[in-house]
Amino acid sequence: MKIYLYISLVAVLFLLNAPVIFSQPWEARHGLTPAQYQAEFNKWTAQGFRLTDLSGYAVGGAPYYAAIWEKSAGPGWEARHGMTAAQYQAEFDAHLKSGFRLKHISAFGLGPQAYYSAIWEKSAGPAWEGRHGLTAGQYQAEFTKQTGLGYKLTDLCAYNVNGQIYYAAIFEKSNGVAWEARHGLTAAQYQTEFNKWAGLGYRLKRVSGCSAGTQDIYAAIWEKTSGPGWIAIHGLTGAAYQGEFANQVYQGYKLKSIDGYNLGSEARYAAIWEVSGMNGEDLSKMDAIAKAYMDKHKVPGLSVAFAKSGRLVYAKGFGYANTATGEKVNPTHLFRIASVSKPITSVAIMKLMEQGKLKLSDRVFGAGGILGTDFGTLPYKTNVDKITIQNLLEHTSGWSNTGGDPMFMNPGFSKAQVIGWMLDNRALANAPGTHEEYLNFGFCVLGRVIEKLTGQPYEAYIKSVVLGQSGISDMQIGGNTEAERRPNEVTYYASNSAEPYGMKVSRMDSHGGWIATPIDLTRILVRVDKFPTKPDILQANTLNIMTTASSVDAGYAKGWSVNNAGNYWHNGSLPGTLAIMVRTQSGFCWAAMVNTRENQDFYAADLDKLMWDLVNSVSKWPDYDLF
């Protein structure tokens, strides 16, 4: 069993009615060596950022640091790290003499030695006291003494040196705010205390973890104060913390506190976030709507992203990327997007049209055609030489799926062999341009058109011309088997449909082979949305051509579904996945993916409804841009 399956995780959200907008830029880093931390410290302080939180910890006999910087005004400040007890005492005395107040202290043990990190501010305030190197008994005595003198605990760090747990603390003369503190708690005891005080309206102000043998021990401070919505999570592995960090930030949460510690030979993290953009009640509604959809359709994992007026305003992962390991979905996980690949291919074709390399009226096969007689071995059947680029984009080539979708047949064939087989064996059912039938094969051919005209592999051209110009670096063509999953790609699960790993996804490249995040697809959408908020990568006239319905189907344009309201979109469906991307005339762009396909939502109609329900549940969107 993976260790993080039995590490206690808690995520509790407390909600306020009013949204709070990001007040200043901020940066956070973790897992930094001392040299890396110093480099980051120098970088951000040179840009006017203040260090607001710092945690030192040791893993595998080496020191590491996690830190938060904010670009904000404030009193003068100083920070030091990696200090021995003697060095820390000297710095403490020097700063005290210079009128600095100790605002934060962190410590860790490495061998027989304790190492300290601290942040001071030169500011006025109530009387204060700082202590370090206290055993549990000494800390309890000091706690009793200071609280008896009317002081409250404002910062607390638990750390292990050679198997002995010590404490460092900061006390300030109380301002009358109710508060509670606990130390020496096991994970289960901490969870109980967390639930108790959070339930009574207290906010977690600081949590510090350390190891005691094979278990983690916690110390924490709560205050009964008002403030924005907040989330606290502890016991996170490095990978789990990175996922949670992405999930919270893309919902508009700002990291306020980070504590690193070790459990055995691995790092663990405890963190506190505060909502700084979205309305807390809206976030709660969105969570409930997403859960209802997932419960109804037995969805293991869901990921969504929303942009408004060209700005990414929300993204979140729900459920599990891998149910066996307990890996949770976050906005950076890659999903198969199936036929949502078609609009991407369409954008590339439009690019070639703008470059003068093709016209929509160009014929594809036969003498004078773009592909000529590159594919197939027999004379082409009637009207094949009349198929145009526009016919393929609009699914009006005249070919039919009767007899089976050729892209799901002959699994041993290459793309070239599939095209050759189709040309040799299947006659057109209708004259080109007279009848619409959704055909994956047509977009497979368009991929080969792109390769012929550019001299590049399809994937390489898309990455350069479409994805690169949209600011996307991690999209790629997916693998076929579970063993071929790409880094950070979810696991796919069968529902009542076919097995998800029995297909040639890589062969589907231009019609259904891409893997992406919802944020990736939203980046593409805002670059082809016809709005002035971010420059489009296609000319206005080209975008109008691309989204104009065909003469035979008012609901489908050139690689995009369309309607009279001015919206354009595409859904995708394969065994093990559903996806959708939508551009609305009202200024929204969004995308969503799940890692299963249930028969009740075979073509993503309910996934589409989910996204409309989510966007309509929000009372006010934030003004920042998370792209």
Side-chain angles (χ1 to χ4, degrees):
M1 178 182 290
K2 297 286 186 181
I3 194 167
Y4 58 79
L5 288 179
Y6 61 81
I7 293 298
S8 174
L9 298 179
V10 61
V12 177
L13 173 63
F14 293 88
L15 307 170
L16 297 183
N17 291 326
V20 181
I21 304 303
F22 278 124
S23 55
Q24 64 273 327
W26 61 279
E27 297 288 338
R29 300 291 185 271
H30 70 283
L32 301 174
T33 66
Q36 290 169 334
Y37 166 69
Q38 186 64 60
E40 290 290 327
F41 181 93
N42 295 344
K43 173 183 176 181
W44 296 113
T45 54
Q47 296 180 44
F49 284 71
R50 304 169 61 86
L51 185 68
T52 61
D53 201 58
L54 176 62
S55 176
Y57 52 105
V59 180
Y64 294 92
Y65 292 90
I68 307 171
W69 292 266
E70 288 187 6
K71 194 167 189 178
S72 60
W77 63 278
E78 297 280 346
R80 301 289 186 271
H81 70 281
M83 299 175 286
T84 64
Q87 291 168 335
Y88 169 66
Q89 187 63 61
E91 289 289 339
F92 181 94
D93 294 340
H95 282 87
L96 181 63
K97 186 176 180 179
S98 299
F100 283 79
R101 304 171 60 84
L102 184 65
K103 299 299 292 183
H104 174 61
I105 184 168
S106 172
F108 64 92
L110 191 58
Q113 185 89 310
Y115 292 89
Y116 295 87
S117 301
I119 304 173
W120 289 267
E121 282 187 0
K122 196 165 189 178
S123 59
W128 64 276
E129 298 285 343
R131 299 290 185 269
H132 67 280
L134 303 175
T135 65
Q138 291 168 333
Y139 166 71
Q140 185 61 61
E142 192 65 31
F143 180 91
T144 303
K145 172 186 173 182
Q146 298 298 335
T147 55
L149 293 172
Y151 285 73
K152 71 174 184 177
L153 189 66
T154 60
D155 198 28
L156 178 61
C157 178
Y159 54 106
N160 186 315
V161 182
N162 261 2
Q164 173 72 50
I165 295 179
Y166 294 89
Y167 295 90
I170 304 173
F171 300 88
E172 284 188 357
K173 199 73 171 178
S174 176
N175 57 3
V177 173
W179 63 280
E180 294 289 338
R182 299 291 185 271
H183 70 281
L185 303 174
T186 65
Q189 291 169 336
Y190 170 66
Q191 183 68 65
T192 299
E193 290 292 325
F194 182 97
N195 294 344
K196 173 183 176 181
W197 297 111
L200 292 171
Y202 284 70
R203 303 170 64 84
L204 185 67
K205 302 298 290 184
R206 173 67 64 182
V207 57
S208 175
C210 70
S211 64
T214 59
Q215 65 177 339
D216 39 350
I217 296 296
Y218 295 92
I221 306 170
W222 293 265
E223 285 188 1
K224 195 163 190 177
T225 54
S226 60
W230 61 278
I231 289 176
I233 309 175
H234 68 282
L236 294 168
T237 64
Y241 168 70
Q242 189 62 59
E244 285 293 342
F245 182 90
N247 239 351
Q248 305 313 327
V249 169
Y250 281 119
Q251 293 179 82
Y253 280 83
K254 179 162 69 172
L255 186 66
K256 298 297 292 182
S257 172
I258 175 69
D259 184 72
Y261 50 102
N262 76 294
L263 187 62
S265 60
E266 293 187 336
R268 291 290 185 271
Y269 297 91
I272 304 171
W273 287 268
E274 287 185 354
V275 67
S276 297
M278 293 286 290
N279 180 301
E281 289 186 351
D282 290 347
L283 290 173
S284 183
K285 290 176 186 175
M286 296 174 86
D287 286 350
I289 291 168
K291 183 179 185 302
Y293 168 82
M294 294 175 72
D295 288 347
K296 176 181 177 181
H297 294 289
K298 302 177 179 63
V299 170
L302 162 71
S303 189
V304 304
F306 290 88
K308 183 180 185 296
S309 302
R311 296 173 290 104
L312 182 66
V313 289
Y314 174 93
K316 185 175 181 180
F318 301 86
Y320 294 96
N322 188 314
T323 58
T325 64
E327 180 184 358
K328 293 184 176 180
V329 176
N330 69 68
T332 68
H333 274 107
L334 295 161
F335 288 70
R336 291 174 176 172
I337 65 171
S339 287
V340 177
S341 302
K342 291 180 175 67
I344 298 167
T345 299
S346 174
V347 171
I349 292 290
M350 296 296 141
K351 275 284 189 183
L352 293 173
M353 184 179 74
E354 287 185 346
Q355 295 165 3
K357 293 184 177 181
L358 63 74
K359 300 186 294 294
L360 295 185
S361 59
D362 284 347
R363 296 189 178 189
V364 179
F365 299 107
I370 294 173
L371 298 180
T373 56
D374 292 353
F375 299 93
T377 60
L378 302 176
Y380 291 155
K381 302 187 187 314
T382 302
N383 287 333
V384 166
D385 61 349
K386 293 183 174 60
I387 297 171
T388 65
I389 295 293
Q390 182 165 343
N391 295 151
L392 296 178
L393 286 167
E394 295 179 343
H395 301 291
T396 59
S397 65
W399 267 305
S400 170
N401 285 316
T402 301
D405 186 328
M407 299 311 301
F408 295 95
M409 299 168 64
N410 300 310
F413 282 10
S414 66
K415 291 185 284 286
Q417 289 172 319
V418 170
I419 297 173
W421 180 90
M422 190 73 165
L423 289 164
D424 289 347
N425 293 281
R426 192 170 291 182
L428 301 189
N430 300 280
T434 63
H435 177 79
E436 189 269 344
E437 181 170 351
Y438 189 86
L439 197 75
N440 289 309
F441 177 72
F443 274 78
C444 174
V445 174
L446 287 171
R448 313 303 59 89
V449 167
I450 291 170
E451 292 177 335
K452 183 69 175 285
L453 294 177
T454 66
Q456 298 182 55
Y458 165 81
E459 183 176 9
Y461 181 76
I462 297 294
K463 285 182 175 181
S464 171
V465 174
V466 179
L467 307 185
Q469 292 187 25
S470 301
I472 298 167
S473 60
D474 57 348
M475 280 182 62
Q476 55 195 292
I477 300 300
N480 302 325
T481 67
E482 187 168 8
E484 293 173 338
R485 281 190 307 135
R486 308 309 191 207
N488 211 37
E489 184 180 1
V490 300
T491 299
Y492 305 101
Y493 297 93
S495 181
N496 298 320
S497 56
E499 287 297 320
Y501 293 107
M503 302 172 295
K504 293 292 290 290
V505 174
S506 60
R507 195 177 72 180
M508 301 177 189
D509 61 354
S510 51
H511 77 82
W514 287 99
I515 59 174
T517 70
I519 294 173
D520 291 335
L521 296 187
T522 308
R523 282 185 185 275
I524 294 172
L525 285 167
V526 301
R527 295 297 185 176
V528 295
D529 63 6
K530 304 183 185 181
F531 301 127
T533 50
K534 277 189 170 66
D536 287 328
I537 61 174
L538 293 173
Q539 298 169 14
N541 183 58
T542 305
L543 289 171
N544 288 333
I545 292 171
M546 184 178 74
T547 56
T548 296
S550 76
S551 59
V552 244
D553 184 355
Y556 202 88
K558 295 157 188 68
W560 297 82
S561 295
V562 294
N563 64 17
N564 291 332
N567 303 332
Y568 45 95
W569 69 95
H570 213 289
N571 67 325
S573 175
L574 281 173
T577 192
L578 291 174
I580 194 165
M581 63 187 294
V582 177
R583 175 269 193 197
T584 74
Q585 186 62 28
S586 59
F588 284 97
C589 294
W590 62 67
M593 301 146 193
V594 298
N595 57 350
T596 194
R597 181 181 73 181
E598 198 212 8
N599 282 349
Q600 291 182 48
D601 197 22
F602 203 81
Y603 293 111
D606 280 2
L607 184 61
D608 178 43
K609 181 179 183 300
L610 165 70
M611 298 302 283
W612 286 98
D613 288 345
L614 288 173
V615 79
N616 289 330
S617 72
V618 176
S619 58
K620 182 178 180 181
W621 294 96
D623 294 332
Y624 53 61
D625 186 355
L626 296 173
F627 276 133

